[in-house]
Amino acid sequence: MATCCDDNEHDPAAKSVAEALEIILAAASPPSHSEVRALDDASDRVLAEDLRTEQPIPAWPNSAMDGYGLRCSDGPGDRRCVGAAFAGHPFTGELGPGECIRIMTGAPVPADVDCVVPQEQCERQDDRVEFRSALRPGANIRQAGDDLPAGAVALARGTLLRPAALGVAASLGRTELRVYPALRVAFFSTGDELQGLGAPLAAGQIYDSNRHMLRALLGRLGCQPLDLGRVADEPAAIRQALTEAAAMADVILSTGGVSVGEADYISALLQELGQVSFWKMNMKPGRPLAFGTIGSAHFFGLPGNPVSTVVTFYEFVRPFLLKRMGKTEPWTVPSLRLPCATTLKKKPGRTDFQRGRLVATAEGWQVAPVGAQSSHILSGLAQAQCLMVLPAEAGDIPAGSLVEVQLLEGLV
C-alpha cells in the first residue's frame, strides 16, 4: 500500500478541491428507478415521492399543557370542574357557564373550550378551581394543522430518511414508502503490508484499518457494502479485483496504490480498464486521488494513509454517493466559520484539512487543532469533532482568525 507524502509542493496538474468536486458531482447521475419498502426497512434510503398529508396534523385542537380547560367569555372567577379529558379519551359532555374540565397534554380540546390554564397556575378545592393567571383565548392550545395543513408536502422527494423523517412518515400512517435503491459499493484495500484482524503481525506489517472504516462510513449512508478484502500489490490481482467490482457494483472504492511509487498500479490500471478524469489533488491530506469509470461503475482510488482515506471520502465520495442516491442538495458536509483558538501552522500551496475540536469560551465557540496533523495519525481523527479547511494560498493563520469549519461530530 504505497502512500502519499504530505509535502507542500504545488503541482499545476493537480485539481483544486473545488474543481474536483465539480467534476465528481457532474458525473453523479440521480437514480432512474425506485422501489417500495416497508417503513421500518426504509431507514437511510432516499424518498422517491412527495409525501402529502391527507388531513391536518394535528387533526384536531389539543392541549399543550396539563391543566384546566375553560371558556374565557364566562369572565373571571373560579369554575366548577365537571369532567376530564385525556389523550385518547376525549371529554364527551358539554361545558356550561362557569364550568371547566381537567385536561391533560395531548387531549382533544372540546369545541366550547378556548383556553387551557396550566395546573401550576390553578388552585383546586374539591370541585372548585381558582385561576391565578389571566385568561387568554387560545392559550396553550395546539390548533388543528399547527404542524402541517391538509394537502401539504410533509416530506419532499429526495429526502434522506433519517429517524425524524421516518417519524413524520409514520405520523401520516404510511406503512410503505417509495424509495430509491441502495447503491452497491464495492471496496478493497491494496498493500502487501496489510494484515487482517486477529492475525499476528509479521515484520513490516500493519493491520488493515481502512476497509473497516469504509464499511462503517458506507453503512451510515445506507449503501450496500461489498467487501472484496485485501488485494496484493500485484497488477494481475488488482486488475482482477477491479474487473470483479465493476461487474457487481455501482461504485468502486480502493485504498492505496494511487501515488507514484513503484508499487502503485491503480492509475495505470484504471486507464487500461476504463477512463480517468483525474488522479492528483491539490490538497493535504489526500494528494493522490484517482476518479474515473470502469464500465458502468464509477471508481474512486483513495490514498492509503488512513486519515487521507477518511478526509477524501468526506470531501468527494460522500457528496457523490448522496447525489447518486437521489438526495437533493446539500451534498457536502455542513460548515460554518469560527475563530481559531491558537495559531494554525501551514505552508502555502495546498488546501489543508486539519483535524480540530470545538472549544467553548466566554466569547463563544472557537476551534483548536487536535494533536499532530500527519496523515497516518488516526487517533487524532477519532478525537476530532471537525475539519478546519485552510485555503491553498494561506500560510500560518493567527489565533483569532475566522476559519471554515466542517462539522464531523456524529459522522466520523
mmCIF file of all heavy atoms in Angstrom, residues 12-53:
data_model
loop_
_atom_site.group_PDB
_atom_site.id
_atom_site.type_symbol
_atom_site.label_atom_id
_atom_site.label_comp_id
_atom_site.label_asym_id
_atom_site.label_seq_id
_atom_site.Cartn_x
_atom_site.Cartn_y
_atom_site.Cartn_z
ATOM 1 N N PRO A 12 0.930 21.949 -10.758
ATOM 2 C CA PRO A 12 -0.046 22.624 -11.618
ATOM 3 C C PRO A 12 -1.016 21.672 -12.297
ATOM 4 O O PRO A 12 -2.084 22.087 -12.742
ATOM 5 C CB PRO A 12 0.840 23.351 -12.643
ATOM 6 C CG PRO A 12 2.153 22.651 -12.606
ATOM 7 C CD PRO A 12 2.319 22.156 -11.196
ATOM 8 N N ALA A 13 -0.669 20.372 -12.375
ATOM 9 C CA ALA A 13 -1.574 19.400 -12.990
ATOM 10 C C ALA A 13 -2.627 18.890 -12.011
ATOM 11 O O ALA A 13 -3.584 18.234 -12.419
ATOM 12 C CB ALA A 13 -0.777 18.224 -13.545
ATOM 13 N N ALA A 14 -2.447 19.179 -10.730
ATOM 14 C CA ALA A 14 -3.377 18.684 -9.718
ATOM 15 C C ALA A 14 -4.644 19.529 -9.697
ATOM 16 O O ALA A 14 -4.610 20.741 -9.899
ATOM 17 C CB ALA A 14 -2.710 18.693 -8.343
ATOM 18 N N LYS A 15 -5.772 18.883 -9.442
ATOM 19 C CA LYS A 15 -7.039 19.581 -9.358
ATOM 20 C C LYS A 15 -7.178 20.258 -7.990
ATOM 21 O O LYS A 15 -6.762 19.720 -6.960
ATOM 22 C CB LYS A 15 -8.197 18.608 -9.547
ATOM 23 C CG LYS A 15 -8.259 17.948 -10.914
ATOM 24 C CD LYS A 15 -8.565 18.973 -12.002
ATOM 25 C CE LYS A 15 -8.691 18.303 -13.357
ATOM 26 N NZ LYS A 15 -8.904 19.303 -14.431
ATOM 27 N N SER A 16 -7.793 21.429 -7.987
ATOM 28 C CA SER A 16 -8.163 22.028 -6.709
ATOM 29 C C SER A 16 -9.349 21.271 -6.134
ATOM 30 O O SER A 16 -10.032 20.513 -6.841
ATOM 31 C CB SER A 16 -8.528 23.502 -6.894
ATOM 32 O OG SER A 16 -9.769 23.626 -7.570
ATOM 33 N N VAL A 17 -9.611 21.476 -4.857
ATOM 34 C CA VAL A 17 -10.741 20.809 -4.217
ATOM 35 C C VAL A 17 -12.044 21.181 -4.917
ATOM 36 O O VAL A 17 -12.888 20.314 -5.206
ATOM 37 C CB VAL A 17 -10.796 21.170 -2.719
ATOM 38 C CG1 VAL A 17 -12.083 20.654 -2.081
ATOM 39 C CG2 VAL A 17 -9.581 20.604 -1.990
ATOM 40 N N ALA A 18 -12.222 22.468 -5.211
ATOM 41 C CA ALA A 18 -13.455 22.913 -5.864
ATOM 42 C C ALA A 18 -13.596 22.326 -7.265
ATOM 43 O O ALA A 18 -14.689 21.889 -7.665
ATOM 44 C CB ALA A 18 -13.491 24.435 -5.918
ATOM 45 N N GLU A 19 -12.488 22.309 -8.041
ATOM 46 C CA GLU A 19 -12.542 21.749 -9.392
ATOM 47 C C GLU A 19 -12.887 20.266 -9.364
ATOM 48 O O GLU A 19 -13.722 19.788 -10.149
ATOM 49 C CB GLU A 19 -11.192 21.930 -10.082
ATOM 50 C CG GLU A 19 -10.859 23.368 -10.458
ATOM 51 C CD GLU A 19 -9.435 23.524 -10.946
ATOM 52 O OE1 GLU A 19 -8.566 22.696 -10.559
ATOM 53 O OE2 GLU A 19 -9.181 24.462 -11.708
ATOM 54 N N ALA A 20 -12.247 19.529 -8.464
ATOM 55 C CA ALA A 20 -12.504 18.086 -8.379
ATOM 56 C C ALA A 20 -13.944 17.809 -7.975
ATOM 57 O O ALA A 20 -14.601 16.928 -8.548
ATOM 58 C CB ALA A 20 -11.539 17.461 -7.380
ATOM 59 N N LEU A 21 -14.451 18.553 -7.003
ATOM 60 C CA LEU A 21 -15.826 18.323 -6.553
ATOM 61 C C LEU A 21 -16.815 18.623 -7.671
ATOM 62 O O LEU A 21 -17.811 17.901 -7.852
ATOM 63 C CB LEU A 21 -16.126 19.178 -5.323
ATOM 64 C CG LEU A 21 -17.486 18.947 -4.658
ATOM 65 C CD1 LEU A 21 -17.625 17.492 -4.202
ATOM 66 C CD2 LEU A 21 -17.669 19.887 -3.478
ATOM 67 N N GLU A 22 -16.553 19.654 -8.446
ATOM 68 C CA GLU A 22 -17.442 19.981 -9.569
ATOM 69 C C GLU A 22 -17.471 18.847 -10.588
ATOM 70 O O GLU A 22 -18.543 18.455 -11.080
ATOM 71 C CB GLU A 22 -16.981 21.283 -10.225
ATOM 72 C CG GLU A 22 -17.874 21.738 -11.371
ATOM 73 C CD GLU A 22 -17.421 23.047 -11.991
ATOM 74 O OE1 GLU A 22 -16.391 23.598 -11.538
ATOM 75 O OE2 GLU A 22 -18.092 23.524 -12.937
ATOM 76 N N ILE A 23 -16.298 18.296 -10.916
ATOM 77 C CA ILE A 23 -16.229 17.186 -11.869
ATOM 78 C C ILE A 23 -16.960 15.959 -11.316
ATOM 79 O O ILE A 23 -17.732 15.288 -12.021
ATOM 80 C CB ILE A 23 -14.764 16.840 -12.178
ATOM 81 C CG1 ILE A 23 -14.100 17.985 -12.949
ATOM 82 C CG2 ILE A 23 -14.659 15.528 -12.958
ATOM 83 C CD1 ILE A 23 -12.598 17.839 -13.096
ATOM 84 N N ILE A 24 -16.735 15.659 -10.053
ATOM 85 C CA ILE A 24 -17.314 14.472 -9.438
ATOM 86 C C ILE A 24 -18.834 14.580 -9.362
ATOM 87 O O ILE A 24 -19.559 13.626 -9.702
ATOM 88 C CB ILE A 24 -16.691 14.267 -8.042
ATOM 89 C CG1 ILE A 24 -15.249 13.757 -8.185
ATOM 90 C CG2 ILE A 24 -17.518 13.305 -7.196
ATOM 91 C CD1 ILE A 24 -14.453 13.787 -6.906
ATOM 92 N N LEU A 25 -19.344 15.734 -8.947
ATOM 93 C CA LEU A 25 -20.797 15.882 -8.838
ATOM 94 C C LEU A 25 -21.458 15.893 -10.214
ATOM 95 O O LEU A 25 -22.582 15.395 -10.373
ATOM 96 C CB LEU A 25 -21.140 17.152 -8.072
ATOM 97 C CG LEU A 25 -20.864 17.114 -6.570
ATOM 98 C CD1 LEU A 25 -21.195 18.451 -5.924
ATOM 99 C CD2 LEU A 25 -21.659 16.000 -5.893
ATOM 100 N N ALA A 26 -20.765 16.435 -11.218
ATOM 101 C CA ALA A 26 -21.323 16.421 -12.570
ATOM 102 C C ALA A 26 -21.482 14.994 -13.092
ATOM 103 O O ALA A 26 -22.352 14.712 -13.915
ATOM 104 C CB ALA A 26 -20.446 17.240 -13.513
ATOM 105 N N ALA A 27 -20.642 14.081 -12.607
ATOM 106 C CA ALA A 27 -20.702 12.686 -13.053
ATOM 107 C C ALA A 27 -21.715 11.864 -12.273
ATOM 108 O O ALA A 27 -21.974 10.704 -12.622
ATOM 109 C CB ALA A 27 -19.318 12.045 -12.911
ATOM 110 N N ALA A 28 -22.287 12.439 -11.219
ATOM 111 C CA ALA A 28 -23.201 11.692 -10.353
ATOM 112 C C ALA A 28 -24.630 11.836 -10.850
ATOM 113 O O ALA A 28 -25.317 12.817 -10.544
ATOM 114 C CB ALA A 28 -23.080 12.188 -8.909
ATOM 115 N N SER A 29 -25.095 10.879 -11.630
ATOM 116 C CA SER A 29 -26.464 10.910 -12.151
ATOM 117 C C SER A 29 -27.437 10.361 -11.113
ATOM 118 O O SER A 29 -27.194 9.286 -10.550
ATOM 119 C CB SER A 29 -26.569 10.074 -13.429
ATOM 120 O OG SER A 29 -25.677 10.555 -14.415
ATOM 121 N N PRO A 30 -28.534 11.057 -10.840
ATOM 122 C CA PRO A 30 -29.536 10.538 -9.893
ATOM 123 C C PRO A 30 -30.120 9.219 -10.392
ATOM 124 O O PRO A 30 -30.068 8.918 -11.593
ATOM 125 C CB PRO A 30 -30.591 11.644 -9.859
ATOM 126 C CG PRO A 30 -29.895 12.873 -10.340
ATOM 127 C CD PRO A 30 -28.879 12.385 -11.345
ATOM 128 N N PRO A 31 -30.676 8.412 -9.521
ATOM 129 C CA PRO A 31 -31.229 7.111 -9.924
ATOM 130 C C PRO A 31 -32.421 7.274 -10.850
ATOM 131 O O PRO A 31 -33.145 8.274 -10.794
ATOM 132 C CB PRO A 31 -31.627 6.467 -8.591
ATOM 133 C CG PRO A 31 -31.762 7.604 -7.640
ATOM 134 C CD PRO A 31 -30.796 8.646 -8.075
ATOM 135 N N SER A 32 -32.631 6.279 -11.689
ATOM 136 C CA SER A 32 -33.713 6.339 -12.685
ATOM 137 C C SER A 32 -34.905 5.477 -12.313
ATOM 138 O O SER A 32 -35.945 5.553 -12.969
ATOM 139 C CB SER A 32 -33.176 5.903 -14.048
ATOM 140 O OG SER A 32 -32.641 4.585 -13.980
ATOM 141 N N HIS A 33 -34.796 4.642 -11.283
ATOM 142 C CA HIS A 33 -35.933 3.818 -10.891
ATOM 143 C C HIS A 33 -36.012 3.752 -9.368
ATOM 144 O O HIS A 33 -35.080 4.143 -8.663
ATOM 145 C CB HIS A 33 -35.828 2.415 -11.493
ATOM 146 C CG HIS A 33 -34.640 1.630 -11.040
ATOM 147 N ND1 HIS A 33 -33.361 1.856 -11.511
ATOM 148 C CD2 HIS A 33 -34.517 0.627 -10.121
ATOM 149 C CE1 HIS A 33 -32.520 1.020 -10.931
ATOM 150 N NE2 HIS A 33 -33.183 0.266 -10.082
ATOM 151 N N SER A 34 -37.143 3.265 -8.892
ATOM 152 C CA SER A 34 -37.395 3.230 -7.456
ATOM 153 C C SER A 34 -38.046 1.914 -7.078
ATOM 154 O O SER A 34 -38.356 1.084 -7.936
ATOM 155 C CB SER A 34 -38.299 4.403 -7.045
ATOM 156 O OG SER A 34 -39.544 4.327 -7.726
ATOM 157 N N GLU A 35 -38.252 1.725 -5.786
ATOM 158 C CA GLU A 35 -38.874 0.510 -5.278
ATOM 159 C C GLU A 35 -39.662 0.842 -4.030
ATOM 160 O O GLU A 35 -39.461 1.891 -3.408
ATOM 161 C CB GLU A 35 -37.805 -0.548 -4.962
ATOM 162 C CG GLU A 35 -36.807 -0.118 -3.902
ATOM 163 C CD GLU A 35 -35.652 -1.091 -3.759
ATOM 164 O OE1 GLU A 35 -35.362 -1.822 -4.719
ATOM 165 O OE2 GLU A 35 -35.034 -1.109 -2.678
ATOM 166 N N VAL A 36 -40.566 -0.030 -3.655
ATOM 167 C CA VAL A 36 -41.390 0.169 -2.456
ATOM 168 C C VAL A 36 -40.818 -0.668 -1.326
ATOM 169 O O VAL A 36 -40.566 -1.870 -1.493
ATOM 170 C CB VAL A 36 -42.861 -0.207 -2.729
ATOM 171 C CG1 VAL A 36 -43.680 -0.114 -1.446
ATOM 172 C CG2 VAL A 36 -43.446 0.705 -3.800
ATOM 173 N N ARG A 37 -40.604 -0.017 -0.175
ATOM 174 C CA ARG A 37 -40.067 -0.707 1.003
ATOM 175 C C ARG A 37 -40.986 -0.453 2.187
ATOM 176 O O ARG A 37 -41.650 0.579 2.286
ATOM 177 C CB ARG A 37 -38.675 -0.185 1.348
ATOM 178 C CG ARG A 37 -37.677 -0.215 0.227
ATOM 179 C CD ARG A 37 -37.149 -1.593 -0.047
ATOM 180 N NE ARG A 37 -36.285 -2.061 1.026
ATOM 181 C CZ ARG A 37 -35.552 -3.163 0.952
ATOM 182 N NH1 ARG A 37 -35.580 -3.907 -0.136
ATOM 183 N NH2 ARG A 37 -34.768 -3.527 1.954
ATOM 184 N N ALA A 38 -41.021 -1.418 3.110
ATOM 185 C CA ALA A 38 -41.740 -1.201 4.363
ATOM 186 C C ALA A 38 -41.111 -0.028 5.103
ATOM 187 O O ALA A 38 -39.898 0.203 5.013
ATOM 188 C CB ALA A 38 -41.686 -2.460 5.224
ATOM 189 N N LEU A 39 -41.927 0.718 5.821
ATOM 190 C CA LEU A 39 -41.434 1.896 6.532
ATOM 191 C C LEU A 39 -40.221 1.563 7.390
ATOM 192 O O LEU A 39 -39.212 2.279 7.363
ATOM 193 C CB LEU A 39 -42.551 2.475 7.404
ATOM 194 C CG LEU A 39 -42.147 3.647 8.303
ATOM 195 C CD1 LEU A 39 -42.011 4.924 7.504
ATOM 196 C CD2 LEU A 39 -43.146 3.836 9.437
ATOM 197 N N ASP A 40 -40.295 0.480 8.146
ATOM 198 C CA ASP A 40 -39.202 0.135 9.058
ATOM 199 C C ASP A 40 -37.986 -0.424 8.330
ATOM 200 O O ASP A 40 -36.959 -0.694 8.962
ATOM 201 C CB ASP A 40 -39.689 -0.868 10.107
ATOM 202 C CG ASP A 40 -40.671 -0.248 11.088
ATOM 203 O OD1 ASP A 40 -40.606 0.985 11.280
ATOM 204 O OD2 ASP A 40 -41.501 -0.979 11.648
ATOM 205 N N ASP A 41 -38.095 -0.597 7.029
ATOM 206 C CA ASP A 41 -36.962 -1.086 6.236
ATOM 207 C C ASP A 41 -36.459 -0.003 5.278
ATOM 208 O O ASP A 41 -35.725 -0.305 4.347
ATOM 209 C CB ASP A 41 -37.399 -2.326 5.450
ATOM 210 C CG ASP A 41 -36.214 -3.115 4.900
ATOM 211 O OD1 ASP A 41 -35.132 -3.067 5.514
ATOM 212 O OD2 ASP A 41 -36.373 -3.755 3.844
ATOM 213 N N ALA A 42 -36.864 1.249 5.535
ATOM 214 C CA ALA A 42 -36.509 2.334 4.625
ATOM 215 C C ALA A 42 -35.493 3.300 5.224
ATOM 216 O O ALA A 42 -35.175 4.314 4.601
ATOM 217 C CB ALA A 42 -37.766 3.103 4.218
ATOM 218 N N SER A 43 -34.970 2.995 6.397
ATOM 219 C CA SER A 43 -34.007 3.886 7.034
ATOM 220 C C SER A 43 -32.786 4.102 6.151
ATOM 221 O O SER A 43 -32.250 3.147 5.571
ATOM 222 C CB SER A 43 -33.578 3.311 8.383
ATOM 223 O OG SER A 43 -32.650 4.149 9.024
ATOM 224 N N ASP A 44 -32.358 5.358 6.034
ATOM 225 C CA ASP A 44 -31.180 5.772 5.273
ATOM 226 C C ASP A 44 -31.353 5.630 3.765
ATOM 227 O O ASP A 44 -30.390 5.845 3.022
ATOM 228 C CB ASP A 44 -29.922 5.029 5.727
ATOM 229 C CG ASP A 44 -29.593 5.295 7.183
ATOM 230 O OD1 ASP A 44 -29.803 6.435 7.631
ATOM 231 O OD2 ASP A 44 -29.137 4.374 7.872
ATOM 232 N N ARG A 45 -32.557 5.288 3.313
ATOM 233 C CA ARG A 45 -32.843 5.362 1.880
ATOM 234 C C ARG A 45 -33.271 6.791 1.553
ATOM 235 O O ARG A 45 -33.508 7.615 2.447
ATOM 236 C CB ARG A 45 -33.961 4.388 1.498
ATOM 237 C CG ARG A 45 -33.600 2.930 1.653
ATOM 238 C CD ARG A 45 -32.535 2.503 0.651
ATOM 239 N NE ARG A 45 -32.361 1.063 0.664
ATOM 240 C CZ ARG A 45 -33.051 0.225 -0.096
ATOM 241 N NH1 ARG A 45 -33.956 0.673 -0.938
ATOM 242 N NH2 ARG A 45 -32.830 -1.081 -0.025
ATOM 243 N N VAL A 46 -33.415 7.080 0.261
ATOM 244 C CA VAL A 46 -33.859 8.400 -0.185
ATOM 245 C C VAL A 46 -35.266 8.281 -0.749
ATOM 246 O O VAL A 46 -35.553 7.396 -1.558
ATOM 247 C CB VAL A 46 -32.893 8.978 -1.235
ATOM 248 C CG1 VAL A 46 -33.432 10.280 -1.807
ATOM 249 C CG2 VAL A 46 -31.525 9.214 -0.612
ATOM 250 N N LEU A 47 -36.129 9.168 -0.312
ATOM 251 C CA LEU A 47 -37.532 9.133 -0.702
ATOM 252 C C LEU A 47 -37.677 9.453 -2.185
ATOM 253 O O LEU A 47 -37.092 10.415 -2.691
ATOM 254 C CB LEU A 47 -38.312 10.152 0.140
ATOM 255 C CG LEU A 47 -39.829 10.112 0.096
ATOM 256 C CD1 LEU A 47 -40.353 8.772 0.626
ATOM 257 C CD2 LEU A 47 -40.395 11.259 0.932
ATOM 258 N N ALA A 48 -38.476 8.652 -2.899
ATOM 259 C CA ALA A 48 -38.643 8.811 -4.344
ATOM 260 C C ALA A 48 -39.999 9.411 -4.709
ATOM 261 O O ALA A 48 -40.385 9.400 -5.881
ATOM 262 C CB ALA A 48 -38.463 7.463 -5.041
ATOM 263 N N GLU A 49 -40.706 9.942 -3.737
ATOM 264 C CA GLU A 49 -42.015 10.552 -3.977
ATOM 265 C C GLU A 49 -42.242 11.642 -2.943
ATOM 266 O O GLU A 49 -41.633 11.639 -1.871
ATOM 267 C CB GLU A 49 -43.123 9.497 -3.847
ATOM 268 C CG GLU A 49 -43.164 8.854 -2.463
ATOM 269 C CD GLU A 49 -44.275 7.845 -2.297
ATOM 270 O OE1 GLU A 49 -45.277 7.940 -3.030
ATOM 271 O OE2 GLU A 49 -44.155 6.979 -1.424
ATOM 272 N N ASP A 50 -43.110 12.598 -3.269
ATOM 273 C CA ASP A 50 -43.560 13.561 -2.269
ATOM 274 C C ASP A 50 -44.602 12.887 -1.371
ATOM 275 O O ASP A 50 -45.516 12.228 -1.872
ATOM 276 C CB ASP A 50 -44.203 14.780 -2.936
ATOM 277 C CG ASP A 50 -43.200 15.689 -3.622
ATOM 278 O OD1 ASP A 50 -41.999 15.585 -3.304
ATOM 279 O OD2 ASP A 50 -43.620 16.502 -4.468
ATOM 280 N N LEU A 51 -44.455 13.055 -0.071
ATOM 281 C CA LEU A 51 -45.468 12.567 0.867
ATOM 282 C C LEU A 51 -46.335 13.740 1.289
ATOM 283 O O LEU A 51 -45.840 14.712 1.876
ATOM 284 C CB LEU A 51 -44.819 11.946 2.108
ATOM 285 C CG LEU A 51 -44.036 10.651 1.937
ATOM 286 C CD1 LEU A 51 -43.723 10.057 3.301
ATOM 287 C CD2 LEU A 51 -44.793 9.647 1.090
ATOM 288 N N ARG A 52 -47.627 13.665 1.006
ATOM 289 C CA ARG A 52 -48.559 14.734 1.347
ATOM 290 C C ARG A 52 -49.500 14.299 2.469
ATOM 291 O O ARG A 52 -49.807 13.119 2.610
ATOM 292 C CB ARG A 52 -49.387 15.150 0.116
ATOM 293 C CG ARG A 52 -48.549 15.790 -0.974
ATOM 294 C CD ARG A 52 -49.402 16.262 -2.126
ATOM 295 N NE ARG A 52 -48.593 16.924 -3.142
ATOM 296 C CZ ARG A 52 -48.316 18.217 -3.142
ATOM 297 N NH1 ARG A 52 -48.803 18.987 -2.161
ATOM 298 N NH2 ARG A 52 -47.574 18.751 -4.086
ATOM 299 N N THR A 53 -49.941 15.271 3.214
ATOM 300 C CA THR A 53 -50.886 14.991 4.303
ATOM 301 C C THR A 53 -52.290 14.860 3.738
ATOM 302 O O THR A 53 -52.707 15.652 2.887
ATOM 303 C CB THR A 53 -50.853 16.116 5.343
ATOM 304 O OG1 THR A 53 -51.174 17.349 4.693
ATOM 305 C CG2 THR A 53 -49.487 16.239 5.977
#
